[in-house]
Amino acid sequence: MHPPENKLTEDSQIQQMPNPKLVSVLLGQHIGAVCSSMVQKKDKVQFGQQIGQAEGFVSAPVHSPVDGVVRDIALQSHPVLGREMAVIIDVDAESSIKPLPNGQFTADFDETAFSDKQIRDAVRQAGIVGMGGAGFPTQVKLEPNPQTPKEVLIINGCECEPFITGDYRMMMEWTYQVIAGIKLACRGAGCPTVRIGIEENKPEAIARMAELLKQCSGAGNMEVVPLKTKYPQGGERQLIKAVWGKQVPTGGIPPMIGVVVLNVATCAAIADAVVNNAPLTHRVVTVTGGAIANPGNYYVPIGTSVQDLIDHCGGLTENAAKVVMGGPMMGLAIADLSTPITKASGAITFLTEETITKAKYERRQTACIRCGRCLTVCPEHLNATRIAHAVKSDLLDVAQNYHMTACIECGCCSYICPANIELTGYIKTGKILLARAKKRMPK
Amino acid sequence: MILASILELLPAGLTMLSLGTVFAIILLIASIKLKVVVDEKVEQVHEALPNIDCGACGFAGCASYAKAVVADPELLGKCAPGGPETSEAVARILNLQVSGGGVELRPIVHCRSHTVDRTYYATYAGIETCTAANAQANVQACKFGCLGYGDCTSACKFDALHIVDGLATVDYEKCTGCTACSKVCPRFLIEMVPFGHENMMTVACSSKENGRSTRSMCKTGCIGCGLCTKKTELFTLANNLARLDYEGYQPSEETQAAIDKCPTGVIVFRGKSAPTPRPAG
């Protein structure tokens, strides 16, 4: 499937976002256990200070992106979980601002100066999580597994979601830092080979990455793989199939077949963390869509509210109708503009009434006409209609017979459906119901 | 002529007769050999049950509960819709004594906020079930309040739960205490409470937000001020939320004072003849 790309911001350079007056650093920004707060009300915090303690193996600490004073530790709107505990910090007027990368990394960056253990520890302490959207703690991915040795590290530079351009700009502007991060990740995970998957609609990024890789020392095992432009090419399972030719088993995860997938932005953060000891406090966010005055790519302190970003980008246009954290296909609509940016939010898309109507958002759902388009677009070869009907009729076992839990929630079926049936929504609902039913089941 | 045609039919007739005899014998043997012994008690218990297959007892339906209760007398009294009469009937069949009986459980929805009392940031345009809406962050400002899409209404087999102005409201006349609603609520608002009196007092809120946030989100949420806990020890405060000790509850002047003092009017009566609470806010 190939939805309109709408890459409005592909030529706008990554710009610094000044510190807002208030940041709310959520304590649960990743998949896994929510952090516990390490600071109290009225404590002074400094830039880069750890404020949230990781709880358990699959978790990641959080750090303050600014100098300031803790105003409160309270529930705050969260793009995924609704409300979650956050450390709310009043930012000092003279707070230090994290500068954009300044060309520190060059072609002859030597990753062998760091041991693999050192790299993994630095990644864990910096609280790095998958920055492509899911937010899975990165050090868990890098951890060696004696049973299935890692064969390949795949770097996800697809950016197949419409509108988003942050990864593309990073590959263009911060190329050496990204490559340094890839080298470090490769060493940290102990992968013999690296493949960088980039969609063909970004020929300049492919050319630039390939050219600079040639100049880099010790990059002989790395190769750029141009991929067909389609959605969801950057889905983990789809990417592995396209780049490495292997299929991740249904219900399985990439490490089972010895593959690690990291996003471009995550690699840039790894380089910063290992070499500069810098925790993950800022990220590139694509502010885009037809309903924002000045769309662009911004380097934003994590914890900045969406409202502050809107103000910085010149405000919303009159016909603004919907705010989506992430891209339009997989992103989550947010209702509260005080929702802060998290480590995993790579974009904020402001959609106008017109685009929403175009994307069939009138919600005039009609009966399924059995056209079968959802079957042709499903990247996991599922039968979305059957699953959705089963969920509607409360037949979870039937839905599970159609492999409901194998759905990656890419949204292709909902997008293509001429009857406007919210297939992905029903499948998501079904997954929630199934998880709850399993919890209730006697052991 | 007639005789000839009878003779012609004779072989066929004889074949049928002998076949019939053979099958009759097989069936006779089978009926003796493969006889299923049905415990009469199970059948009697099954008849005594309400036969609505609601699943409140935790079994697939009345038939499986009947089987289970005959095998294990400990399970007596699990039939909520049947109530004490059914338990006694079952006990008579099994020659058991009904122990205690206990107080009947009835659901209480721990939210009293109607659509007009709540803060909304945006319009929700997704699938109209509570489970789907709950997966959307900030579908309404309060993370804890009733969503009002009626998952509980569809779960209720007794037409005892309705969405009234965006709030799930129990019809205690019809409710049998089968617990189905309390199992489907994605926000876990519906709790089965021992109804020691016809009307129970409750703090109809689940918000664990601090007072200021709760006030900004809802006209009638519990702000955790603790005034009720000062009136009577039956109320306790935890996580910015007051809670009534339902088991120890006795109507008294103190509890009435707690209702009167509550600044947001979130302490209300629920039950068959519950008085109309004062307006929200």
Side-chain angles (χ1 to χ4, degrees), chain A residues 37-353:
Chain A
S37 168
M38 292 167 71
V39 287
Q40 314 264 307
K41 225 168 161 168
K42 294 190 181 146
D43 276 4
K44 263 186 158 323
V45 290
Q46 280 175 342
F47 168 76
Q49 183 186 333
Q50 189 179 344
I51 52 178
Q53 173 95 43
E55 298 282 324
F57 180 60
V58 181
S59 190
V62 292
H63 302 79
S64 169
V66 289
D67 302 324
V69 181
V70 177
R71 178 191 282 190
D72 204 354
I73 296 155
L75 290 169
Q76 177 63 254
S77 292
H78 187 290
V80 187
L81 302 170
R83 304 279 289 174
E84 192 50 71
M85 290 309 268
V87 179
I88 301 166
I89 305 169
D90 278 315
V91 185
D92 278 354
E94 318 70 85
S95 165
S96 46
I97 297 179
K98 183 168 177 167
L100 293 171
N102 48 9
Q104 169 195 15
F105 296 94
T106 53
D108 38 51
F109 172 75
D110 182 20
E111 80 278 13
T112 46
F114 305 94
S115 75
D116 59 334
K117 178 110 185 17
Q118 243 176 335
I119 295 169
R120 286 197 301 270
D121 284 348
V123 168
R124 189 179 63 240
Q125 273 155 23
I128 295 180
V129 303
M131 290 164 81
F136 189 80
T138 302
Q139 103 276 351
V140 181
K141 286 191 192 176
L142 299 184
E143 214 59 48
N145 178 356
Q147 274 144 24
T148 41
K150 297 189 171 63
E151 291 175 5
V152 63
L153 169 67
I154 298 177
I155 305 301
N156 190 349
C158 288
E159 208 152 55
C160 59
E161 274 257 2
F163 286 103
I164 310 182
T165 56
D167 289 354
Y168 170 70
R169 289 314 306 176
M170 272 193 216
M171 287 190 283
M172 296 301 290
E173 293 174 41
W174 304 0
T175 324
Y176 280 124
Q177 182 174 346
V178 171
I179 292 173
I182 296 172
K183 281 177 170 178
L184 288 165
C186 177
R187 189 170 166 77
C191 291
T193 35
V194 177
R195 293 285 179 272
I196 304 163
I198 305 176
E199 277 190 348
E200 276 165 350
N201 64 350
K202 294 179 261 296
E204 286 152 39
I206 296 174
R208 185 163 169 84
M209 289 294 284
E211 192 194 318
L212 295 203
L213 271 183
K214 262 185 232 147
Q215 295 170 14
C216 281
S217 55
N221 59 345
M222 293 156 87
E223 199 182 298
V224 175
V225 186
L227 298 170
K228 195 179 157 198
T229 306
K230 65 174 181 186
Y231 180 84
Q233 187 65 279
E236 200 170 49
R237 305 167 65 87
Q238 285 66 38
L239 182 71
I240 293 170
K241 185 89 208 303
V243 172
W244 200 238
K246 277 195 178 180
Q247 183 88 47
V248 183
T250 303
I253 45 171
M256 287 179 178
I257 55 166
V259 179
V260 187
V261 181
L262 292 178
N263 175 269
V264 169
T266 317
C267 292
I270 291 174
D272 204 15
V274 176
V275 180
N276 301 336
N277 252 338
L280 178 56
T281 56
H282 287 62
R283 69 155 300 148
V284 175
V285 177
T286 307
V287 182
T288 183
I292 187 92
N294 307 317
N297 301 299
Y298 297 92
Y299 197 47
V300 177
I302 287 164
T304 307
S305 73
V306 173
Q307 183 63 53
D308 286 335
L309 264 177
I310 294 174
D311 295 344
H312 181 63
C313 300
L316 293 173
T317 57
E318 265 176 29
N319 53 356
K322 191 175 184 183
V323 183
V324 181
M325 194 78 116
M329 296 299 289
M330 275 200 77
L332 293 154
I334 56 168
D336 183 4
L337 292 182
S338 71
T339 308
I341 297 288
T342 70
K343 291 174 185 175
S345 15
I348 301 191
T349 315
F350 298 93
L351 298 171
T352 58
E353 280 165 23

Side-chain angles (χ1 to χ4, degrees), chain A residues 72 75 77-83 333 335-336 361 363 422 425-426 429 432-433 436 440, chain B residues 121-122 125-127 129 131-132 135-138 143 183-186 208-210 213 217:
Chain A
D72 204 354
L75 290 169
S77 292
H78 187 290
V80 187
L81 302 170
R83 304 279 289 174
D336 183 4
Y361 204 69
R363 271 196 57 74
E422 281 190 60
Y426 282 111
T429 314
I432 297 168
L433 291 172
R436 210 161 62 195
R440 267 213 311 273
Chain B
Y121 297 129
I127 299 168
T129 66
T131 312
Q136 163 68 47
N138 302 103
K143 184 195 175 181
K183 286 176 191 155
V184 295
C185 179
K208 295 187 175 74
E209 299 264 358
N210 62 30
S213 299
M217 290 170 177

Side-chain angles (χ1 to χ4, degrees), chain B residues 71-233:
Chain B
D72 181 8
E74 292 273 303
L75 293 167
L76 189 65
K78 289 260 181 198
C79 181
E85 298 101 61
T86 305
S87 296
E88 269 165 37
V90 175
R92 264 200 306 280
I93 297 164
L94 302 176
N95 287 325
L96 292 168
Q97 286 293 314
V98 185
S99 56
V103 189
E104 286 189 16
L105 296 176
R106 288 290 178 269
I108 282 184
V109 182
H110 284 80
C111 178
R112 77 152 283 194
S113 174
H114 296 274
T115 314
V116 288
D117 306 326
R118 298 184 197 130
T119 309
Y120 290 86
Y121 297 129
T123 327
Y124 174 69
I127 299 168
E128 290 180 351
T129 66
C130 299
T131 312
N134 194 36
Q136 163 68 47
N138 302 103
V139 60
Q140 64 194 27
C142 180
K143 184 195 175 181
F144 302 95
C146 179
L147 289 155
Y149 290 105
D151 281 13
C152 47
T153 308
S154 9
C156 183
K157 292 198 174 186
F158 304 96
D159 190 33
L161 235 163
H162 301 278
I163 303 297
V164 181
D165 299 331
L167 175 65
T169 310
V170 182
D171 181 345
Y172 290 95
E173 296 284 351
K174 289 182 183 164
C175 178
T176 60
C178 78
T179 73
C181 52
S182 69
K183 286 176 191 155
V184 295
C185 179
R187 292 191 158 182
F188 308 104
L189 291 179
I190 308 181
E191 189 187 325
M192 299 308 291
V193 166
F195 258 63
H197 308 270
E198 189 173 77
N199 298 317
M200 280 300 283
M201 191 180 272
T202 181
V203 182
C205 182
S206 306
S207 171
K208 295 187 175 74
E209 299 264 358
N210 62 30
R212 208 180 51 184
S213 299
T214 305
R215 261 193 199 281
S216 73
M217 290 170 177
C218 177
K219 279 188 199 157
T220 175
C222 175
I223 55 172
C225 65
L227 280 179
C228 51
T229 59
K230 287 178 191 125
K231 293 288 160 202
T232 160
E233 283 179 358

Side-chain angles (χ1 to χ4, degrees), chain A residues 407-419:
Chain A
C407 169
I408 59 165
E409 300 174 14
C410 65
C412 287
C413 48
S414 299
Y415 177 84
I416 209 82
C417 179

